[in-house]
Amino acid sequence: MEQILITYYADNAKNLHRMVDKILLKFGGLSDKDMDDFYSLANEVFVDVIKRYNPLQSFDGFLYSCLLNKIKTEITKRNREKRKIERISISIDMPLPDDENVTLKEVIADCFDLERELLEEQEECYSKKMLLYLSKLSDLQKEVLNCMVAGYSPYEVKKKLHISEKQYLDCNQAIHSYRNISLLF
């Protein structure tokens, strides 16, 4: 037993790491952190193999097969977790189930509220920043904005103004574009 420990753990576990590297070479694409995780896993497997080792069989072969099985299991587990995360991710441009005319990005909470900013008046008129912002919008964009401020849904805005989905999306994009909104900051 002592000779086995010396063989595998001499020179900072160089032989054990070499065996792990040989197995991981088949999988590829692993970071240094992943390598450290698998070296730690190899230490656990090594301790388990020492306890279960039968001197009638080859220790190297037994250790290699146990390491290979444990590493395969760990990589499978990690890949399964990645697939779970990918499966539950959704696009912010996806329509909401209860109203297909509204996307998720339109209802995500944000500290900046364009409609509130528009309604804030200073001495019965808009601030200079607001007037500059409004001057950047076309008449149709201003009408869409007024409807939004009044609380109309996207469907109602399109119906009221007799505009297409594309026209509505173009107006909405201009109203919320950073270039225009940045004038309000």
Side-chain angles (χ1 to χ4, degrees):
M1 264 324 150
E2 190 173 321
Q3 184 57 40
I4 293 172
L5 285 171
I6 291 170
T7 302
Y8 281 94
Y9 279 92
D11 202 15
N12 202 16
K14 187 175 184 177
N15 286 341
L16 183 62
H17 288 188
R18 192 175 299 136
M19 189 177 282
V20 171
D21 291 342
K22 183 179 176 182
I23 294 170
L24 291 176
L25 188 62
K26 297 174 185 177
F27 298 101
L30 297 172
S31 68
D32 289 339
K33 183 194 177 301
D34 290 328
M35 297 297 282
D36 288 341
D37 290 346
F38 285 109
Y39 291 150
S40 296
L41 186 67
N43 288 326
E44 294 172 20
V45 171
F46 187 84
V47 170
D48 183 54
V49 166
I50 287 284
K51 291 178 187 173
R52 298 185 303 141
Y53 172 60
N54 179 354
L56 299 176
Q57 62 190 32
S58 163
F59 182 81
D60 294 339
F62 184 52
L63 176 62
Y64 183 85
S65 65
C66 290
L67 278 172
L68 180 63
N69 288 335
K70 190 67 170 179
I71 288 172
K72 279 183 180 178
T73 303
E74 181 64 21
I75 287 178
T76 302
K77 183 180 112 188
R78 288 177 182 208
N79 287 338
R80 187 175 297 128
E81 288 171 3
K82 287 179 189 174
R83 285 192 305 270
K84 267 190 230 174
I85 291 171
E86 289 172 2
R87 205 171 39 237
I88 61 173
S89 63
I90 59 173
S91 169
I92 63 170
D93 293 320
M94 184 177 107
L96 294 177
D98 52 327
D99 186 356
E100 291 192 13
N101 297 315
V102 178
T103 63
L104 186 58
K105 74 178 172 189
E106 291 173 338
V107 296
I108 292 177
D110 188 357
C111 63
F112 182 77
D113 184 1
L114 181 64
E115 289 80 5
R116 187 186 71 234
E117 185 71 25
L118 284 173
L119 291 175
E120 286 181 2
E121 296 186 67
Q122 199 174 47
E123 298 178 305
E124 303 292 302
C125 64
Y126 291 125
S127 68
K128 289 178 184 177
K129 288 180 181 180
M130 184 56 66
L131 291 172
L132 182 59
Y133 167 76
L134 291 171
S135 72
K136 299 288 183 183
L137 301 179
S138 70
D139 290 339
L140 180 58
Q141 292 166 351
K142 289 176 190 173
E143 286 183 54
V144 170
L145 183 59
N146 285 331
C147 289
M148 291 169 70
V149 170
Y152 288 98
S153 71
Y155 174 76
E156 293 169 328
V157 171
K158 290 182 281 190
K159 189 173 180 181
K160 180 179 177 173
L161 299 177
H162 306 291
I163 59 175
S164 68
E165 176 75 18
K166 182 172 179 1
Q167 287 174 307
Y168 172 78
L169 291 175
D170 289 344
C171 289
N172 195 29
Q173 184 178 9
I175 291 167
H176 291 94
S177 78
Y178 179 76
R179 192 179 68 203
N180 290 335
I181 291 177
S182 64
L183 300 171
L184 298 172
F185 301 134

